[in-house]
């Protein structure tokens, strides 16, 4: 019996050491998961900033598209209309990325809201003619555009900005 006593003590000690080692390993694994999540979040934020910076540069180089007179653009050349549609597409993409990456920072949403307003007549007409256009964006972006059109009283068939 005295021989089994030390054996139990060492077994117990070994079990505690193994449990401690497993706990440390688990904590290390959890720390790695947090680090991966933080890296992913930082990468998404950097990508969103880059997309919005690209949009800002595009707006700087194309002020007639940034503060669009859609009636004038519609009356222009086909090339100008295609360029404008691409401009709006890039804008929506940049906003979709930044709003998703910075959901907790209201200023990004406010910036996108401000820049969206002059494009609402185009988006209204485009949605009427080709509903699949807005479907190329995420559900949140589609809802944002539709809500913005309602708020600004931009409705078919005329799709003109209201006095809000």
């Amino acid at each position: 019996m005295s021989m089994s006593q030390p054996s139990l003590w060492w077994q117990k000690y070994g079990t505690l050491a193994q449990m401690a080692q497993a706990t440390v390993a688990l904590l290390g694994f959890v720390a790695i998961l947090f680090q991966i999540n933080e890296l992913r979040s930082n990468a998404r934020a950097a990508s969103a900033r880059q997309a919005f910076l690209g949009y800002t540069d595009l707006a700087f180089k194309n002020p007639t598209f940034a503060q669009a007179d859609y009636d004038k653009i519609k009356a222009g050349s086909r090339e100008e209309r295609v360029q404008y549609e691409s401009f709006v597409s890039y804008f929506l993409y940049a906003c979709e990325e930044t709003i998703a990456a910075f959901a907790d920072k209201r200023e990004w949403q406010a910036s996108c809201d401000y820049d969206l307003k002059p494009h609402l007549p185009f988006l209204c007409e485009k949605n009427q003619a080709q509903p699949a256009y807005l479907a190329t964006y995420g559900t949140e972006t589609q809802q944002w555009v539709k809500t913005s059109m309602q708020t600004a009283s931009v409705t078919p068939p005329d799709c003109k900005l209201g006095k809000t």
Side-chain angles (χ1 to χ4, degrees), residues 89-107:
S89 293
Y90 193 95
F91 162 68
L92 291 176
Y93 166 74
C95 284
E96 186 170 66
E97 288 298 305
T98 54
I99 290 169
F102 304 110
D104 59 333
K105 299 189 183 219
R106 179 73 183 116
E107 61 271 18

Side-chain angles (χ1 to χ4, degrees), residues 90-155:
Y90 193 95
F91 162 68
L92 291 176
Y93 166 74
C95 284
E96 186 170 66
E97 288 298 305
T98 54
I99 290 169
F102 304 110
D104 59 333
K105 299 189 183 219
R106 179 73 183 116
E107 61 271 18
W108 287 100
Q109 179 73 53
S111 180
C112 287
D113 286 344
Y114 181 81
D115 286 356
L116 177 64
K117 193 169 183 177
H119 307 298
L120 291 175
F122 162 75
L123 290 167
C124 176
E125 283 187 14
K126 189 70 173 177
N127 194 45
Q128 279 299 110
Q130 298 173 349
Y133 176 77
L134 273 182
T136 63
Y137 299 95
T139 308
E140 295 83 12
T141 300
Q142 292 175 44
Q143 190 58 46
W144 168 57
V145 169
K146 289 174 182 176
T147 300
S148 296
M149 282 193 275
Q150 288 175 339
T151 302
S153 301
V154 177
T155 56

Side-chain angles (χ1 to χ4, degrees), residues 4 19 21 25-26 32 35 52 64-65 69 80 84 89 91-92 95 110 112 116 124 133 143 149 158:
S4 66
M19 287 178 14
Q21 185 178 19
L26 182 61
I32 289 170
Q35 190 172 23
F52 202 82
T64 58
F65 293 159
D69 178 349
E80 185 179 23
Y84 177 66
S89 293
F91 162 68
L92 291 176
C95 284
C112 287
L116 177 64
C124 176
Y133 176 77
Q143 190 58 46
M149 282 193 275
D158 63 345

Side-chain angles (χ1 to χ4, degrees), residues 9-126:
W9 183 81
W10 286 109
Q11 285 177 350
K12 197 176 205 182
Y13 179 74
T15 302
L16 289 174
Q18 289 168 345
M19 287 178 14
Q21 185 178 19
T23 302
V24 169
L26 182 61
L27 289 174
F29 182 70
V30 169
I32 289 170
L33 288 179
F34 278 122
Q35 190 172 23
I36 289 170
N37 190 42
E38 188 65 24
L39 288 172
R40 185 179 299 129
S41 177
N42 288 343
R44 182 161 196 183
S47 176
R49 281 187 183 97
Q50 191 64 36
F52 202 82
L53 187 61
Y55 157 70
T56 303
D57 184 54
L58 195 60
F60 179 76
K61 292 176 181 172
N62 298 282
T64 58
F65 293 159
Q67 289 296 314
D69 178 349
Y70 183 55
D71 288 332
K72 186 177 175 185
I73 292 170
K74 273 197 311 189
S77 69
R78 182 182 189 300
E79 181 179 308
E80 185 179 23
R81 290 190 306 270
V82 169
Q83 286 176 326
Y84 177 66
E85 182 174 332
S86 293
F87 178 89
V88 173
S89 293
Y90 193 95
F91 162 68
L92 291 176
Y93 166 74
C95 284
E96 186 170 66
E97 288 298 305
T98 54
I99 290 169
F102 304 110
D104 59 333
K105 299 189 183 219
R106 179 73 183 116
E107 61 271 18
W108 287 100
Q109 179 73 53
S111 180
C112 287
D113 286 344
Y114 181 81
D115 286 356
L116 177 64
K117 193 169 183 177
H119 307 298
L120 291 175
F122 162 75
L123 290 167
C124 176
E125 283 187 14
K126 189 70 173 177

